[in-house]
Amino acid sequence: MGDRKTIEDRLVLLGTKGGPAIRPGGPSPTSSLLEIGGRRCVIDCGLGVTRGLVEAGVTLKELDLIFITHLHSDHILELGPLIHTAWTTGLKTPVTVFGPSGTAAYWTGFLASMRYDIDLRIADEGRPDPRDFVTVVEYGEGPLGLEGLEVSALRVKHPPVTECFALKFRTPDWCVVFSADTTYFPPLAGFASGCDVLVHEAMLADGVDKIVEITGNGERLRTHLMDSHTLAPDAARIASAAGAKQLVLNHLIPADLPGFDEKDWLAATRGHYAGPITIGRDGLTLTRSAQ
């Protein structure tokens, strides 16, 4: 890993779309880069995370920490391919993956699926064995026990998933909280109290109606979305109750349907949060020094 002292604190939204589908020219599913306190943290690994990191200027062989909030495919699908691609570009230093129960089984399964290629490259190209320096730590609520960076988890409500966690990253200089996928969950405000940035998932009610209209299993999908995700006004209410200094809307539903744009998100949150609101888009970067 590179010199931690040279890493400027920043947040990069790599993928901002809710759900696993992708469309021509549209945003990618969920992933973020948080560089904080000299540590390089990848939060969730939806499809496109590897390219997103490269385009954000990250040297893949300097991967450090990866956090998975839950095991829906739009949050974990590219975890194995990210690490494998980093390995083929020279990764040989320790990487720790923090994830909920089931993450270790995912990693074991990925290694098994790629055993031929991994063993061949070790023998043919002299690469170190990634099984020796990638560690998976399965976590629950509470502190994650990292040296030099305070990270803690809060179980949120994302039925039918039970192992889904908001994450808080804190140093003496900066505090960033990710809601993960969750329905409106008031305890999150206490968890995020006083944070500098709250990255919260968000839906537009009119957008849900449009999605239901164009999909074949519309009513079942509506039930899932309304039971498992947060409408934009409620995300703003959480930010207000937390006293968050900035709200970033992410995991957007809808993210790429015609007829919905930034003004719709701002209208939906108006009057519920007095601070600055940023509507997520792939590649959006916030730096601590710019806040």
Side-chain angles (χ1 to χ4, degrees), residues 209-237:
D209 291 341
K210 186 63 175 178
I211 291 169
V212 168
E213 178 186 325
I214 64 178
T215 57
N217 62 339
E219 289 309 315
R220 290 193 65 179
L221 180 58
R222 182 196 296 276
T223 299
H224 165 72
L225 292 175
M226 299 306 292
D227 288 349
S228 303
H229 295 281
T230 305
L231 291 169
D234 288 331
R237 291 184 181 100

Side-chain angles (χ1 to χ4, degrees), residues 80-123:
L82 166 61
I83 296 173
H84 186 280
T85 304
W87 174 66
T88 62
T89 61
L91 176 68
K92 57 185 177 181
T93 51
V95 173
T96 304
V97 179
F98 291 88
S101 177
T103 305
Y106 166 93
W107 177 240
T108 299
F110 176 81
L111 290 172
S113 73
M114 295 298 295
R115 181 175 178 179
Y116 174 82
D117 179 88
I118 292 171
D119 289 348
L120 186 66
R121 291 183 187 278
I122 291 171

Side-chain angles (χ1 to χ4, degrees), residues 220-285:
R220 290 193 65 179
L221 180 58
R222 182 196 296 276
T223 299
H224 165 72
L225 292 175
M226 299 306 292
D227 288 349
S228 303
H229 295 281
T230 305
L231 291 169
D234 288 331
R237 291 184 181 100
I238 293 292
S240 182
K245 295 181 178 65
Q246 181 171 3
L247 171 62
V248 178
L249 299 183
N250 192 35
H251 193 276
L252 302 177
I253 302 173
D256 52 1
L257 284 183
F260 298 93
D261 57 27
E262 183 170 312
K263 71 177 185 301
D264 298 294
W265 294 99
L266 294 176
T269 54
R270 189 173 297 122
H272 301 293
Y273 172 67
I277 299 176
T278 300
I279 313 306
R281 66 179 187 277
D282 291 13
L284 183 141
T285 301

